[in-house]
Amino acid sequence: MKICIWCSKNENYVTFKKLAHTIPQSLGGKLVCENVCDSCNEFFGRKEHGLPAVEIALKEVLNTSKYLLLTQHKEIRLGRFKSEYFNFNYKNNPRTFKFKMGYKLRPNFQREFRRRFRRGIYKVFLEERERQIRDAHDDRFNFIREFSRYDLNDYPVYVQVPKFKAVLYNTEDLLLPQIRFTDYSDEVDKEFRFYSYPLMGHSFVIPTSNQFMDERLSAYIKYLKKTEDPFGSELISIDNIEQLDFRFNYMNGK
């Protein structure tokens, strides 16, 4: 029997008729999680009170990175890139990316946008976790359910600062995005309760438990430095959406 990983309701109370893409289709996602009910699935794609949906916040930011990376492949034909919330200028150096004036001036819009972006990063993790490992109902993920689905409390999303002026990415993962759980990531998760996953040229880091988070984070950073992680050992908390270098300006020393 199917049981939704978000609301914990089963087929006797909710339906599971629609495809729940773990990564938004607008980002190229095609993989689906079976244990997401129609109501929760619709929630992540629905706007609220003039604010972007969780999935739209992900798409608006990460499609920028995806577009910039794919422009390096002349054999891939790209359509015109459009954004509802941002103005872009790809010809300037550094490239500019700013909220459109109507949203820039709207009270609390930027704060709510970045909060929805962070909720989306957790959403992708838990649905991919269920799709591949099928343990998303574990109680240690309750804090993710509360934050990502019900907007309760607040939890960090970090991005690794690249050690070198290079974007580490797989073109296939740009066209069919997914995250991977390996023996290595499982060992790191068990020891530190943190998980990192690359998406659209960035490496995002999130806690997989809300217990002893600060202590575990310090230990995890030391581990990244010790192992000389290729994605970098410095972590930046995404408190402002501009803290994510989705234009890859660091490649130009910016």
Side-chain angles (χ1 to χ4, degrees), residues 128-164:
E128 278 282 273
R129 182 93 188 184
E130 178 66 13
R131 181 181 72 83
Q132 299 179 49
I133 303 180
R134 307 190 73 82
D135 68 347
H137 287 285
D138 192 303
D139 286 345
R140 74 179 169 110
F141 299 131
N142 284 343
F143 80 102
I144 294 180
R145 272 179 276 277
E146 293 171 356
F147 178 53
S148 189
R149 173 64 176 88
Y150 297 103
D151 198 19
L152 300 175
N153 303 314
D154 196 7
Y155 296 100
V157 170
Y158 303 95
V159 63
Q160 292 180 253
V161 179
K163 186 176 181 179
F164 306 104

Side-chain angles (χ1 to χ4, degrees), residues 57-109:
L58 274 183
K59 180 269 293 185
E60 285 281 294
V61 174
L62 294 181
N63 252 344
T64 308
S65 299
K66 177 180 179 179
Y67 184 88
L68 290 173
L69 292 175
L70 288 180
T71 55
Q72 309 303 311
H73 301 271
K74 295 182 179 180
E75 70 277 9
I76 298 177
R77 299 187 64 181
L78 299 174
R80 185 179 178 184
F81 183 72
K82 297 180 180 180
S83 170
E84 178 179 351
Y85 300 105
F86 299 97
N87 285 319
F88 300 90
N89 190 325
Y90 292 113
K91 296 180 180 180
N92 288 352
N93 189 13
R95 304 177 179 99
T96 59
F97 178 100
K98 298 179 179 179
F99 278 102
K100 292 182 178 179
M101 189 60 67
Y103 299 110
K104 184 176 182 179
L105 299 178
R106 188 178 298 179
N108 298 323
F109 183 86

Side-chain angles (χ1 to χ4, degrees), residues 4-216:
C4 180
I5 63 171
W6 297 111
C7 66
S8 299
K9 295 178 181 178
N10 62 39
E11 292 173 289
N12 292 328
Y13 301 94
V14 292
T15 58
F16 293 81
K17 296 180 180 180
K18 298 181 180 180
L19 297 178
H21 294 85
T22 59
I23 295 174
Q25 285 182 288
S26 53
L27 275 172
K30 296 181 180 180
L31 303 171
V32 299
C33 179
E34 295 181 352
N35 287 321
V36 175
C37 74
D38 294 337
S39 178
C40 291
N41 183 30
E42 291 171 1
F43 164 78
F44 286 111
R46 185 173 64 240
K47 293 183 179 180
E48 297 179 286
H49 312 297
L51 294 168
V54 169
E55 290 190 345
I56 291 177
L58 274 183
K59 180 269 293 185
E60 285 281 294
V61 174
L62 294 181
N63 252 344
T64 308
S65 299
K66 177 180 179 179
Y67 184 88
L68 290 173
L69 292 175
L70 288 180
T71 55
Q72 309 303 311
H73 301 271
K74 295 182 179 180
E75 70 277 9
I76 298 177
R77 299 187 64 181
L78 299 174
R80 185 179 178 184
F81 183 72
K82 297 180 180 180
S83 170
E84 178 179 351
Y85 300 105
F86 299 97
N87 285 319
F88 300 90
N89 190 325
Y90 292 113
K91 296 180 180 180
N92 288 352
N93 189 13
R95 304 177 179 99
T96 59
F97 178 100
K98 298 179 179 179
F99 278 102
K100 292 182 178 179
M101 189 60 67
Y103 299 110
K104 184 176 182 179
L105 299 178
R106 188 178 298 179
N108 298 323
F109 183 86
Q110 295 183 59
R111 177 178 62 82
E112 289 297 333
F113 186 96
R114 60 180 177 261
R115 182 176 175 87
R116 280 165 168 73
F117 178 84
R118 293 200 307 267
R119 290 166 64 191
I121 293 295
Y122 281 97
K123 179 260 186 193
V124 168
F125 166 81
L126 197 62
E127 291 187 2
E128 278 282 273
R129 182 93 188 184
E130 178 66 13
R131 181 181 72 83
Q132 299 179 49
I133 303 180
R134 307 190 73 82
D135 68 347
H137 287 285
D138 192 303
D139 286 345
R140 74 179 169 110
F141 299 131
N142 284 343
F143 80 102
I144 294 180
R145 272 179 276 277
E146 293 171 356
F147 178 53
S148 189
R149 173 64 176 88
Y150 297 103
D151 198 19
L152 300 175
N153 303 314
D154 196 7
Y155 296 100
V157 170
Y158 303 95
V159 63
Q160 292 180 253
V161 179
K163 186 176 181 179
F164 306 104
K165 292 182 180 181
V167 182
L168 303 179
Y169 73 97
N170 184 320
T171 305
E172 292 182 0
D173 285 347
L174 293 178
L175 300 175
L176 179 59
Q178 60 183 301
I179 65 177
R180 292 177 172 82
F181 297 92
T182 63
D183 291 339
Y184 171 76
S185 68
D186 187 51
E187 291 177 2
V188 173
D189 181 32
K190 287 180 179 178
E191 184 171 356
F192 303 104
R193 290 308 189 204
F194 274 89
Y195 178 78
S196 66
Y197 68 87
L199 187 62
M200 304 304 163
H202 308 284
S203 181
F204 295 102
V205 176
I206 60 172
T208 58
S209 170
N210 63 345
Q211 300 295 315
F212 311 108
M213 192 181 299
D214 291 339
E215 292 86 345
R216 292 182 184 276

